[in-house]
Amino acid sequence: MAVKNLAHILKQTFNVTRCNLKNTQHTTLRCKSVAADTVQSQCTPIAVTALPASHQTVRVIFNNHKTADFKTIWLRDNCKCSVCVHEETRQKMLDSPSLDVAIKPKSLTVTNNGNLVITWHENGQDHVSTFDSSWLYRYGQSFIHENFESEDNDDHPKRLPVVLWDRTEIWKSLPEISYNEVMGSDEGLKQWLGMFYQYGIAIMRNVPPVQGQLVELVKHFAYVKETQYGVTFDVMHEPDPQAHPAFSGLYLHHHTDMNYREKSPGMQLLHCLKATDPKSLGYDPGGMSFFVDGFRIAKWLEDNEPSAFHILTSTPARFQIKTKGKRYSQLWPIITLNQDGDVCEIHYNNRTMGPLQAPSHIIVPFYHAYKLFSEKMRHPSSELKFHMVPGDLVAFNNRRVLHGRTAFDPTKVSRHLVGCYVDIDETFSLYDSLLAKSHS
């Protein structure tokens, strides 16, 4: 590329406003906002030139003076043209094993808007691949830092940033919305799903308190995930002493559900059909629902007790239960990390955790770490706590947000919740689609 053209591109791109968005107390600092797609285009450097390098590599130079090296076979395999990728499903149509691993570009060109255009010669004919600057920069940084994202989000605007919260933070901006807003428009549904993604919890008010309404609501955005407890389950007092503790007036400590399954359900919903109004009694009769951001507790542990954090992320605990003659059992760390070392799941339920099976020198440190995590989680400053009233519905990420209930006397308190589970990827997929629709 000529020096004159390069100087012209640099002059244009350096006039772009610098991206300086920060999200305090968020898990990851990245260029994200409500108008995330616009922000991303502003803060991502563009390619200015590309040239062949050694060892079957193409070197791309960006206008911020950074470079990224891409193996030629990787670039050819990730061509985005309509021949190589199905336009509707984004499935790869290219047969990767049929490619020449030592393939070399016939030509390299960088356009004025920063696209890398490569012409390949294969099977006696030319094939053209075009790569967007933002895509190249993102994957180029991944190769440099060996920090790889789990998915390619080219087709959707960026989601809102995840917010870590305690009692004070959550009450400042309570994630709540009315039933009519959610059911009345895509914008209302998108707002509710955005709250759920950001905070791991979203409250819906004035949902008709009738049986069957929960399933009808879920059909508006996904489908119910049936479990051994059925399509839905009723959380109400049962006089049977053999009944599940949830169906009693007992205090239920913080927990996540079904850690004993192959994969615990991602989204859980609880809909209040009946509840005694504390105002009518003049005192708290018990039966308050509470929720805690497990990601926030894990972050606190990592910052203040790193040894304990390491123990809880590296020691699998067995969760197990016997119900209706069937036994379920699974191993999970209390705090689960993804491949980048970020917290991605919490598995915590003291009632279903079996005997710890670990080397002897791990036992005492594990219980010390478990105690620290639990005490911080159970502290009132960590809890969002309130009485659910008829018409309230709470949706929460069961792999992030822990939930529980204070004790109550069933002879004095009437309390009936209906619950169900939903595959969380269905929820997030719809959220992405609504984001894309609103920005199209």
Side-chain angles (χ1 to χ4, degrees), residues 46-102:
I46 66 169
V48 292
T49 192
L51 62 155
S54 58
H55 306 296
Q56 300 169 342
T57 299
V58 171
R59 175 161 295 174
V60 179
I61 303 172
F62 296 89
N63 63 356
N64 62 353
H65 307 296
K66 290 187 177 181
T67 63
D69 291 345
F70 301 89
K71 294 300 181 183
T72 52
I73 180 61
W74 186 89
L75 288 169
R76 177 63 190 93
D77 187 43
N78 286 283
C79 176
K80 300 294 185 182
C81 78
S82 60
V83 174
C84 295
V85 175
H86 191 278
E87 291 188 20
E88 176 64 25
T89 66
R90 309 308 296 166
Q91 293 181 87
K92 185 187 292 185
M93 305 300 290
L94 173 66
D95 181 40
S96 303
S98 67
L99 295 174
D100 178 5
V101 177

Side-chain angles (χ1 to χ4, degrees), residues 38-209:
T38 301
V39 174
Q40 188 69 19
S41 66
Q42 289 180 340
C43 64
T44 301
I46 66 169
V48 292
T49 192
L51 62 155
S54 58
H55 306 296
Q56 300 169 342
T57 299
V58 171
R59 175 161 295 174
V60 179
I61 303 172
F62 296 89
N63 63 356
N64 62 353
H65 307 296
K66 290 187 177 181
T67 63
D69 291 345
F70 301 89
K71 294 300 181 183
T72 52
I73 180 61
W74 186 89
L75 288 169
R76 177 63 190 93
D77 187 43
N78 286 283
C79 176
K80 300 294 185 182
C81 78
S82 60
V83 174
C84 295
V85 175
H86 191 278
E87 291 188 20
E88 176 64 25
T89 66
R90 309 308 296 166
Q91 293 181 87
K92 185 187 292 185
M93 305 300 290
L94 173 66
D95 181 40
S96 303
S98 67
L99 295 174
D100 178 5
V101 177
I103 191 170
K104 295 180 180 179
K106 180 180 178 181
S107 65
L108 298 171
T109 306
V110 175
T111 65
N112 288 336
N113 61 358
N115 288 338
L116 170 63
V117 180
I118 301 179
T119 301
W120 316 90
H121 189 74
E122 53 189 17
N123 302 320
Q125 57 185 0
D126 288 349
H127 184 91
V128 178
S129 301
T130 302
F131 303 97
D132 177 78
S133 271
S134 61
W135 187 88
L136 288 168
Y137 191 78
R138 174 154 57 90
Y139 280 97
Q141 291 298 297
S142 295
F143 284 125
I144 292 171
H145 301 294
E146 295 188 357
N147 181 17
F148 302 101
E149 295 192 7
S150 59
E151 60 181 332
D152 193 335
N153 286 320
D154 290 340
D155 296 335
H156 294 287
K158 297 297 181 181
R159 297 170 181 172
L160 295 172
V162 171
V163 178
L164 302 186
W165 53 267
D166 56 13
R167 181 182 63 185
T168 301
E169 291 301 320
I170 196 73
W171 279 114
K172 284 181 181 178
S173 53
L174 190 65
E176 62 177 342
I177 193 171
S178 74
Y179 170 79
N180 287 337
E181 286 180 274
V182 174
M183 301 297 288
S185 69
D186 283 352
E187 182 60 31
L189 179 58
K190 183 187 72 173
Q191 187 177 348
W192 183 64
L193 295 177
M195 294 174 186
F196 176 80
Y197 175 76
Q198 282 194 287
Y199 296 93
I201 185 170
I203 303 167
M204 197 182 300
R205 306 291 192 188
N206 302 316
V207 181

Side-chain angles (χ1 to χ4, degrees), residues 248-252 284-288 290 387 405-410 413:
S248 70
L250 296 175
Y251 188 100
L252 291 182
D284 177 12
M288 290 185 76
F290 51 77
H387 279 285
R405 178 198 68 210
T406 62
F408 65 94
D409 183 348
V413 174

